[in-house]
Amino acid sequence: MKDIHYISTRGQQAPLSFQDAVMTGLARDGGLLVPDEIPDVSDRLATWRDLSYPELAFEIMHLFATDIPEEDLRGLVTRAYSTFMHPAIAPVTKAGDLWILELFHGPTLAFKDIALQFLGQLYAYILERRDGRLNILAATSGDTGSAAICGVRGQRRVNIFVMHPHGRVSPLQERQMTSVTDANVFNLAVEGAFDDCQSIMKALFNDLPFKDAYALGSVNSVNWARILAQIVYYFYAAFRVQEETGAEAVQFAVPTGNFGDILAGWYAKQMGLPVRRLLLATNENDILSRFFHTGRYVRGQVVPTVNPSMDIQVASNFERWLYYKLGRDPAAVRERMETFGREGAMEIPVRGDGPVDVEIRAGASDTKHTLATIKRYFERYGAVLDPHTAAGVFVAEQYDDREEPTICLSTAHPAKFPAAIEQATGQQGLAHHPLLDALEGLPTRCAVVPNDVTAVRTFLAEHAR
Ligand SMILES: *Cc1c(COP(=O)(O)O)cnc(C)c1O
């Protein structure tokens, strides 16, 4: 088997091993790390079909994490998925014509657990072997924060600092984060908006002497390990649906924010999984949907919606896809990203009147359509969809030339968004989960900090490992 190395989309970082890529997060030249080769697994699909989720995860991750001994990697994967509440880890169900891939059976009830439970194990493993320490800094508008905290709570070599906008995340999401009172967990409520949290984070990561002195680490989906962990469920779901239907190929509908989840599906397709198309769904924050219709990537203003984890205008993982689209030419990527940074817009050439891309098609769902979709699926099929999933389902329905079975990624448990479910169906208490009910009245811990880089830097310096 070939050793895979990780190179930057901007071409100015020496190749890294898998473990170094995980520890680095964002490449030092500002680009994103990608594998120097995408393995073709077409001839292995038949032997992978009947594997359990953890077995399949091992087979796929092993191809990319070539510097971790097999037995160690098996252990990491087994531990990561032992916290899931469903024996299948990622079960597939059916609602009407569509297949629903349930990715929310992890400890915080969002699909981010699938990657962050694994990344938490991986960090502990690498740090133990290197006798290292790590200070994770993250910005969250909701789901990432609690999943990241849950992935590393209680670890002895990691501290985690999670910034959320003070008073602007849902009370339930806030409680999911702040009720974790392990000594290595620090919640920071920043007196500003989510964008402010994100720019504080960027400022501290771009301060390379600070980053190095405090061993800052990232859990955002710029980290390759997150994409890797997500590739697995595309294979797993395609196998289940092929088994049920006998179809040769499938397609996926993916509610999208930072482009991480759908990018994992794109890698699965390049590896040889028979995926006809990936259907990308956005909400009103539709920079990606506009791009896949016009070839023009133009920043807009973020508006708050009923599916907040998709309220993103600049999708960090888009650069990875762009790298391949531009023929793996780092100079072309640099030029486009610099133009975008300067002007808030850039363009890629589109041939004739064809689609911008034949593999990824896109659509947007607004609040009205998302809520109507939740109501319809509840009334017709008894299925309660969370508002992110519903946006994906709505977009899937718009592509009615669906010859292949369509699998919609269900990214959160509906109980995380009770207000939207009630608004859509007119019924109270439809969506609940004992884990969330149990948070009521638990002690919480959180520090309120001003919207200011220096304040966060000082807090981190005082509480770092
Ligand atoms: C993060 C998130 C998304 C968006 O995923 P990306 O990888 O950012 O595209 C969609 N739905 C839910 C519930 C999420 O938490």
Side-chain angles (χ1 to χ4, degrees):
M1 199 173 70
K2 183 186 174 295
D3 271 343
I4 299 274
H5 290 93
Y6 291 84
I7 53 176
S8 168
T9 50
R10 301 197 190 177
Q12 293 172 327
Q13 152 130 25
L16 298 172
S17 69
F18 173 75
Q19 293 185 47
D20 285 332
V22 171
M23 297 309 289
T24 302
L26 195 67
R28 290 178 85 87
D29 61 4
L32 275 80
L33 295 167
V34 291
D36 60 358
E37 190 185 314
I38 303 177
D40 181 347
V41 300
S42 318
D43 60 355
R44 277 176 244 202
L45 297 178
T47 59
W48 282 2
R49 271 178 204 284
D50 297 321
L51 298 181
S52 70
Y53 192 94
E55 286 166 344
L56 181 62
F58 166 78
E59 293 295 336
I60 292 172
M61 291 175 176
H62 180 48
L63 299 171
F64 290 94
T66 49
D67 61 340
I68 299 186
E70 277 188 35
E71 278 323 296
D72 294 357
L73 185 61
R74 273 187 210 282
L76 295 177
V77 169
T78 306
R79 282 198 295 282
Y81 298 112
S82 67
T83 58
F84 279 61
M85 292 166 276
H86 194 289
I89 311 298
V92 182
T93 60
K94 203 167 183 206
D97 284 346
L98 297 173
W99 298 85
I100 307 287
L101 170 57
E102 296 183 0
L103 299 171
F104 51 72
H105 294 285
T108 73
L109 310 180
F111 88 102
K112 295 197 167 70
D113 288 324
I114 293 197
L116 287 165
Q117 285 292 305
F118 174 66
L119 184 57
Q121 293 295 333
L122 200 53
Y123 272 145
Y125 172 80
I126 298 173
L127 293 170
E128 206 57 51
R129 294 184 60 213
R130 297 184 174 183
D131 191 22
R133 72 208 157 83
L134 185 71
N135 292 293
I136 293 172
L137 178 63
T140 189
S141 57
D143 295 330
T144 305
S146 52
I149 288 170
C150 197
V152 301
R153 64 184 293 182
Q155 288 193 15
R156 62 189 194 102
R157 293 174 180 274
V158 178
N159 278 0
I160 183 165
F161 300 83
V162 175
M163 295 180 277
H164 68 263
H166 188 32
R168 298 198 203 183
V169 298
S170 86
L172 204 56
Q173 289 180 318
E174 183 177 329
R175 226 175 303 137
Q176 269 192 303
M177 294 189 280
T178 59
S179 63
V180 181
T181 53
D182 297 65
N184 72 329
V185 174
F186 299 90
N187 280 288
L188 302 178
V190 174
E191 293 174 312
F194 171 64
D195 281 344
D196 298 317
C197 299
Q198 211 154 13
S199 52
I200 293 174
M201 183 175 82
K202 281 197 190 128
L204 292 176
F205 273 98
N206 285 334
D207 180 346
L208 293 181
F210 183 79
K211 181 183 178 203
D212 291 343
Y214 288 95
L216 282 198
S218 145
V219 288
N220 288 77
S221 55
V222 298
N223 198 308
W224 169 255
R226 278 190 59 176
I227 307 296
L228 175 58
Q230 293 173 208
I231 292 174
V232 177
Y233 52 69
Y234 284 91
F235 281 86
Y236 188 76
F239 293 159
R240 300 288 81 71
V241 170
Q242 286 182 306
E243 191 176 284
E244 292 274 335
T245 62
E248 272 177 27
V250 296
Q251 56 187 358
F252 289 94
V254 190
T256 305
N258 259 326
F259 204 78
D261 201 0
I262 194 164
L263 181 75
W266 183 88
Y267 275 107
K269 183 167 172 15
Q270 313 312 308
M271 290 167 71
L273 186 69
V275 177
R276 180 171 160 232
R277 292 185 302 202
L278 296 156
L279 305 175
L280 178 154
T282 68
N283 59 22
E284 288 90 332
N285 299 293
D286 62 349
I287 178 171
L288 286 167
S289 174
R290 282 185 281 119
F291 170 79
F292 281 100
H293 283 104
T294 63
R296 278 178 56 74
Y297 191 64
V298 186
R299 194 196 323 249
Q301 272 290 324
V302 177
V303 297
T305 68
V306 290
N307 24 35
S309 297
M310 300 159 74
D311 292 351
I312 288 172
Q313 282 287 2
V314 178
S316 50
N317 268 291
F318 182 68
E319 181 168 338
R320 284 194 168 110
W321 179 85
L322 189 66
Y323 169 77
Y324 295 101
K325 186 75 178 175
L326 297 175
R328 306 189 185 207
D329 175 358
V333 174
R334 277 203 305 276
E335 195 237 293
R336 292 299 194 302
M337 294 313 292
E338 275 162 20
T339 306
F340 183 72
R342 215 171 40 241
E343 297 165 15
M346 58 118 162
E347 204 164 344
I348 66 158
V350 182
R351 245 182 254 124
D353 57 1
V356 171
D357 190 72
V358 290
E359 297 183 308
I360 300 181
R361 309 298 294 280
S365 179
D366 59 12
T367 298
K368 189 178 117 223
H369 287 119
T370 295
L371 295 179
T373 303
I374 294 174
K375 181 174 160 69
R376 198 152 36 81
Y377 273 72
F378 175 62
E379 289 174 352
R380 286 201 193 151
Y381 312 114
V384 184
L385 306 177
D386 100 281
H388 304 77
T389 307
V393 165
F394 175 76
V395 169
E397 288 177 332
Q398 307 310 300
Y399 283 88
D400 51 10
D401 57 334
R402 285 184 268 113
E403 284 146 40
E404 291 80 11
T406 300
I407 304 169
C408 298
L409 272 54
S410 182
T411 49
H413 193 287
K416 292 194 87 167
F417 302 96
I421 305 296
E422 187 182 334
Q423 201 185 339
T425 62
Q427 297 195 37
Q428 244 178 342
L430 256 191
H432 58 90
H433 191 285
L435 269 187
L436 298 179
D437 299 342
L439 297 176
E440 195 72 55
L442 284 185
T444 59
R445 189 157 60 89
C446 180
V448 179
V449 295
N451 176 10
D452 171 38
V453 179
T454 313
V456 175
R457 189 198 309 263
T458 308
F459 187 95
L460 225 142
E462 280 167 4
H463 298 92
R465 264 211 191 223

